[in-house]
Amino acid sequence: MPTVKLPDGSTLEVAEGTSVAEVANRIGPRLARDAVAARLDGKLVDLGTVLPPEGEPALQILTGKSDEALSILRHSTAHVMAAAVRRLWGEKVRFGIGPAIEDGFYYDFDLPERMGEEDLERIEAEMGRLVAERAPFARKEVPLADARRLMHEAGQWCKVELLDDIASSRLEAGEEFQDADAKPVPEAGGRVTLYRTGDFVDLCRGPHLPDAGRIAAFKLLSVAGSYWRGDSTRPMLQRIYGTAYFSKTDLERHLARLEEAKKRDHRRIGKDLDLFSFHDEGPGFAFLHANGMVILNAILDFWREVHREAGYVEVRTPILLSEELWHRSGHWDNYREAMYFTEVDERPFAVKPMNCPGGLLIYRAQPHSYREFPMRVAELGLVHRHEKSGVLHGLLRVRQFTQDDAHVFCLPEQLKDEIVGIIGLVDRMYRTFGFEDVRVELSTRPEHSIGSDEMWEHATGALRQALEAKHLPYKVNEGEGAFYAPKVDYHVRDCLGRSWQCGTIQVDLAMPERFDLTYTGADNRPHRPAMIHRAVLGSIERFLGILIEHYGGDFPLWMAPVQAIMLPVSERTAAYGREVAGKLRAAGLRADLDEGSDKVGAKIRRALGRKVPYMLIVGEKEAAAGTVSVRDKALGDLGAESVEAFLGRARAEVAERRLRPKQEALGAAGAPEA
Ligand SMILES: [Zn+2]
Ligand SMILES: [Zn+2]
């Protein structure tokens, strides 16, 4: 008799031929209604899966509450979209791939005619019909050769290519299959699985919903060109993006957030506030304008202050270094594709993609003793990485950026305390920028790695103990560390609930060896130091992009390009406005003056558009009393104040690096939905 082990530890015996859906029904009608798919001994399966007659597999029914369920829903919706496109365009459609992605799904189509935004509505309507019909997802396991014949006869060249790759097991290398659920995988004995929805048959590993009727809320978002397998030498397909949720409320909330994200797009705000630009003369290289530099320098001043206080020293290493160095560091083997090369005096050189090797040459330039440890050496290093042109995205994905690196050299027994210190520093910096919702992940030893068991245990243990000493909850990613290091990654959530990976702490087990780093121990003999790499903000340029979107351009006073602007009511008070602006500048504030002959209302609107935190309105009354009428961009009218009182207010806000009032509220309201 088939038996399954349930998550609560109990076992359930059922009749032969029982499906997962029937088990769900046995447990309770509510579970049966909410069930989406299941995990059978860890493997994702359809609800229609029949339980094996032997053994006692663990069964976990997935409901709409889990992330996995959401991704199954979205992948299923991608199939329904493909089925709708098949209905509308008939047999001439060729299908690429259609995975679930973060926040949604896509499908790539090869069609003789171009689809436009107006087609999305038609497709949505057809999808609605498939949902109303409760079109089933029918799974079928067939020999690979049969699937190939079927796809070949239907002219589905993408699928034929995928099947050929599966047959020659080349597919594993295909990096375009970012979503494991979308990856067609051969079953035992050269068999593959097909899923049919309406007239659309896909090569697919599944699992899927039992039928389209479970799709409660979906929306198609955009259509864009996309090269087959991300390769610009292959045909251009048309990719439709969409999203799906288990409830209409969740979908509406997501769409509202997308709207808000559009308003906050850092590329748009960057142009409006004259912060940065990109030019064809340097694709992927950001040009920072004067206003952008003010913000960047404020971030760097803060960064240096925090690091000085935490006992770091700062160094700078060259951007061009001999190619031989990159062979020694291992970057040539693992990172060559993303590096730029050149020649100097007929000797091959590379532009640094990372700062570490340079930092190690500095370490090796002097003999070291255990008495110097821990050594905390920071570098705001300018690195270049050749990102593919298709992934470049404003400041968020650039080819040149400043990494806020640091290397800590210490005794193995000092590792834990050093990591505790780094965690404290990261926490202080994120809080100052207003990121309260921070997730931490610990990635452990991967299958292919260097170093002894003992080294890995010690290094991973130090990270673990430090996280526990700081009472930081963390998720463990088993086997996902770098081949040379276990690591802790930081993900910060912005006010729209989006997560960004920023900081990282890695205990390096390779570099000290490769570069033969030594120190003299208390025993007067040479030893290998322990080494930590860490970054807090990651790429400063990218962090600036994240901040622009997080704040919606409303920077805290300490970073704002213009902190206060004088708005004289008429020409008669312009001189007084100029005088106060001079006083503010002399006191170290970034003050501006709007001297034009416009009405004060127009001046206020202009200042609001420039997102200046303080507007100081001066009419004859203020000029006579030596005051300013303070208008806070976030709080509105604050009344009249002496120039000294305003200066005191502004200086305190800058010195304490306070967040702007509205931004604090946003942090609380922007809680993630899932
Ligand atoms: Zn699929
Ligand atoms: Zn490093």
Side-chain angles (χ1 to χ4, degrees), residues 75-76 78-79 97-100 107 137 159 181-184 195 200 202-208:
H75 183 191
S76 297
H79 277 230
I97 57 161
Y107 215 113
F137 287 87
K159 302 292 177 189
D181 284 344
K183 192 150 97 183
Y195 277 83
F200 168 63
D202 205 2
L203 170 70
C204 179
R205 176 162 68 175
H208 281 286

Side-chain angles (χ1 to χ4, degrees), residues 77 105 121 124 127 217-221 241-244 251 255:
T77 314
F105 61 84
E121 266 175 55
E124 271 180 354
M127 289 169 72
F218 66 89
K219 176 96 188 131
L220 301 187
L221 300 168
Y241 285 99
T243 192
L251 174 65
L255 295 178

